Amino acid sequence: MSVTPLATVRSAQPAPAFRGRIGRDARSGHYAVPRRYRLHLAPACPNGLRIAVVHSLLGLDDACPVTFLDAVPDGPDGGHSVLRPLYEASAHRYAGAAVGPVLSDDWSGRIVSTHAPDITRDLARHFGGGRTAPYPCGAESEIEAVERMCGQGIEQAAQAAGTVGPELAPGEGLDRLLETLGSLERWLVGREYLIRDQITAADVELWVALVQLDTVHRHHLDAAVVHRIADHPVLWAYARRLAAHPAFGVHLDLDGIARRHHAHCQGLEAAGSAVQILDWAGHAGRSA
């Protein structure tokens, strides 16, 4: 099998500690008021990158400020020490890790949500202002399908292709990954965007998955496998176009992604680490 096993397998994402929602009025507890809320995120983290891109697409720098976190959490439990006061103010004797991303309420000094999909949807729904529509009317089921495809067919499959995991054997993971990439390649022929004639959250989801595939997962696949992944010219041209968009490329923290990866994974790198698919550095706008 043309993969290099990892020393450890990344654990599944924990359930969100907080899942409040922004509503339309005071009855929600978190009603929509510009400059009331603040994001805390690291673009080197996939969830942080998704939120950062949607935030920029919506033009929310003033309405919802962002505090950027370091790519590698500094807490012994895998959390960010700077977020600890927020977590402790939001839950009595909170004992878990203070992880990002976080949407906080500056009025109360407490956390609204740590659930990335809810955060992006609430920002778009209540603060979008018509500038763009990441979640256009009638597209929610399509966007959710893309989220599942990226999570299972790219992220989990690529991870399994580089290690022996409990869900998929390496060969099964690679087959699923290549099948997903092939389907996307065929679907994108003649299309500029994934599900509509404008950028939507589906494009953000797929783009982040492709960034992770090329900057993280390929390090644990051999060169022949990476060449097979790269052999989807329409798909990677699509990723390159989005990287050139100011709402996307500006949030690429390549150094942070590398530091985060090496901090979380102690596995040996394969020959595929030298076969970069896209020149992300040509569009990256953030530094560590």
Side-chain angles (χ1 to χ4, degrees):
M1 183 55 56
S2 53
V3 295
T4 297
L6 304 185
T8 58
V9 179
R10 189 187 312 171
S11 61
Q13 289 291 331
F18 301 90
R19 200 169 174 180
R21 303 299 298 267
I22 297 176
R24 295 186 179 277
D25 53 49
R27 290 175 297 177
S28 70
H30 300 286
Y31 58 99
V33 178
R35 295 175 294 280
R36 173 177 176 175
Y37 302 99
R38 178 177 298 273
L39 287 167
H40 309 257
L41 54 85
C45 161
N47 279 334
L49 182 55
R50 292 183 187 97
I51 295 172
V53 172
V54 172
H55 181 272
S56 289
L57 286 171
L58 294 168
L60 299 183
D61 287 343
D62 182 58
C64 182
V66 178
T67 296
F68 289 105
L69 305 171
D70 190 70
V72 182
D74 58 347
D77 57 359
H80 294 272
S81 59
V82 70
L83 294 178
R84 175 59 56 181
L86 269 175
Y87 273 82
E88 293 180 346
S90 305
H92 182 58
R93 295 183 178 179
Y94 180 80
V99 298
V102 167
L103 177 68
S104 67
D105 180 354
D106 281 352
W107 289 8
S108 67
R110 297 184 177 183
I111 294 172
V112 176
S113 181
T114 57
H115 188 253
D118 287 351
I119 292 172
T120 55
R121 283 166 170 80
D122 285 354
L123 290 177
R125 182 175 295 114
H126 299 295
F127 297 109
R131 175 170 175 169
T132 188
Y135 299 91
C137 182
E140 188 65 27
S141 62
E142 294 172 278
I143 293 171
E144 290 177 352
V146 171
E147 290 173 346
R148 290 192 298 272
M149 174 184 288
C150 292
Q152 298 172 12
I154 298 180
E155 175 72 16
Q156 292 178 15
Q159 190 171 329
T163 187
V164 177
E167 296 182 2
L168 292 174
E172 295 173 21
L174 179 58
D175 289 345
R176 178 180 290 185
L177 173 61
L178 293 174
E179 180 182 357
T180 301
L181 298 181
S183 296
L184 289 165
E185 173 82 2
R186 293 186 293 272
W187 176 259
L188 283 168
V189 171
R191 291 182 168 90
E192 187 172 3
Y193 304 116
L194 197 55
I195 63 171
R196 292 290 188 273
D197 59 358
Q198 64 180 50
I199 293 173
T200 67
D203 298 293
V204 178
E205 190 74 24
L206 176 54
W207 184 76
V208 172
L210 294 174
V211 169
Q212 287 291 299
L213 181 57
D214 192 18
T215 62
V216 174
H217 297 300
R218 71 170 169 83
H219 289 277
H220 303 287
L221 302 168
D222 77 8
V225 170
V226 178
H227 281 299
R228 293 178 69 186
I229 292 171
D231 190 23
H232 297 85
V234 176
L235 179 62
W236 290 106
Y238 159 88
R240 186 183 297 108
R241 288 197 307 274
L242 289 180
H245 189 288
F248 287 75
V250 71
H251 295 298
L252 275 174
D253 181 3
L254 299 176
D255 177 71
I257 291 173
R259 289 191 294 114
R260 182 181 179 87
H261 172 60
H262 290 300
H264 285 83
C265 179
Q266 304 303 316
L268 296 176
E269 292 186 350
S273 62
V275 187
Q276 185 176 4
I277 299 174
L278 288 189
D279 178 19
W280 301 101
H283 304 291
R286 287 192 54 79
S287 59

